[in-house]
Amino acid sequence: MTDHTRFAGHGVLVTGAARGIGAAVARRLAEEGGQVLVTDRDLPEAERTAAALRDEGLAAEAAACDVADRASVEAAVERAVAAFGSLDVLVNCAAHCTPDTPRFEDGTDEAWALDLDITLTGVHRCCRAALPHLAACGRGAIVSIGSVNGLQDFGNHAYSAAKAGLGSLSRTLAGHAAARGVRVNLVAPGTVRTSAWQGRDDDLDALRPLYPLGRVGEPEDIAAAVAFLASRDAAWITGTTLVVDGGLTAVNTGFHTAVHHP
């Protein structure tokens, strides 16, 4: 059951929140009482997401934020503080994934740099801008969206390296920020049904048997994990990676299938 007061009075900024996991996170935290700034490079879509929340009586505003641009990030953080009076929660959802070339050596510097700049360095920019405000509020929390790609091989070299880097950044920043009263954690999702999979229902169905819990994830599954880590229910948790993957990385389903059905 959703706690409609868990984030009462909290100012929240979510990046990459126009759609998918980011939009689900924005909705969940708003439903639990948060005042949410929905940010995205796609401002019209961010505005539509925020408007839909307001139509339900929830507190949400929208702002443009390109995590690849320091000035854009700093402006979004200042907008959240000005609108809500404080910034208590930062959720980093923005990411970029360039499809791998068939041969590793044919990948370009530009594609590699783009994935790392948005997926990893973008989180660094957001945390750097937000941290003083999160520390000032006395209950600050940062939750970033990683991936099982950062834990095991699921392809996408640059994206996976960036997501693995987020795990390290979350741990080192947690160590630094703890003395300032800010917790820092990571959620690592498995396959989640978002617009990235639009028109690929057959592929999602093919993946389903690999998941011990029998399905791929939904954005709401990840939003629930984010809400927990951002809340005071996780007051003694920092520097951790919460894997939310239906058992994918814990159970070698392919091995079990091969053994029992040779």
Side-chain angles (χ1 to χ4, degrees):
M1 181 179 294
T2 300
D3 182 346
H4 295 284
T5 63
R6 194 157 57 160
F7 293 100
H10 287 58
V12 178
L13 190 157
V14 185
T15 69
R19 57 184 65 83
I21 291 173
V25 168
R27 171 174 292 280
R28 178 65 183 251
L29 299 189
E31 287 175 344
E32 295 200 23
Q35 303 169 91
V36 180
L37 187 65
V38 177
T39 76
D40 203 280
R41 286 192 302 175
D42 185 345
L43 179 57
E45 191 64 25
E47 289 176 332
R48 281 190 285 271
T49 298
L53 296 178
R54 289 196 300 273
D55 286 346
E56 298 177 28
L58 303 175
E61 298 187 16
C65 181
D66 179 357
V67 300
D69 180 82
R70 181 173 182 173
S72 178
V73 168
E74 291 176 348
V77 168
E78 293 301 328
R79 167 77 179 276
V81 173
F84 308 138
S86 67
L87 180 59
D88 304 84
V89 178
L90 168 66
V91 184
N92 296 298
C93 296
H96 190 276
C97 181
T98 301
D100 285 339
T101 54
R103 299 193 308 169
F104 181 82
E105 59 265 35
D106 293 332
T108 66
D109 287 357
E110 291 77 14
W112 176 270
L114 179 62
D115 279 15
L116 265 68
D117 189 41
I118 295 176
T119 307
L120 177 57
T121 309
V123 171
H124 171 264
R125 292 186 186 100
C126 292
C127 293
R128 180 176 57 192
L131 188 56
H133 302 286
L134 295 168
C137 77
R139 58 185 180 189
I142 297 171
V143 184
S144 299
I145 304 300
S147 173
V148 294
N149 283 58
L151 306 174
Q152 293 183 10
D153 172 26
F154 295 100
N156 299 114
H157 303 294
Y159 174 81
S160 297
K163 291 297 191 180
L166 280 181
S168 178
L169 176 61
S170 296
R171 289 187 293 273
T172 58
L173 184 54
H176 169 82
R180 303 169 71 178
V182 179
R183 297 180 301 103
V184 185
N185 291 293
L186 188 76
V187 174
T191 305
V192 178
R193 191 189 308 274
T194 66
S195 60
W197 293 90
Q198 188 169 0
R200 300 175 61 189
D201 287 345
D202 289 347
D203 290 336
L204 291 175
D205 287 341
L207 290 173
R208 183 178 55 79
L210 300 178
Y211 284 85
L213 289 182
R215 65 176 176 87
V216 300
E218 301 295 339
E220 292 75 16
D221 294 315
I222 311 308
V226 170
F228 165 66
L229 287 174
S231 77
R232 297 304 297 172
D233 289 338
W236 208 46
I237 300 175
T238 196
T240 196
T241 294
L242 176 58
V243 181
V244 185
D245 70 348
L248 176 68
T249 56
V251 180
N252 191 328
T253 306
F255 177 85
H256 286 289
T257 300
V259 168
H260 296 296
H261 302 283

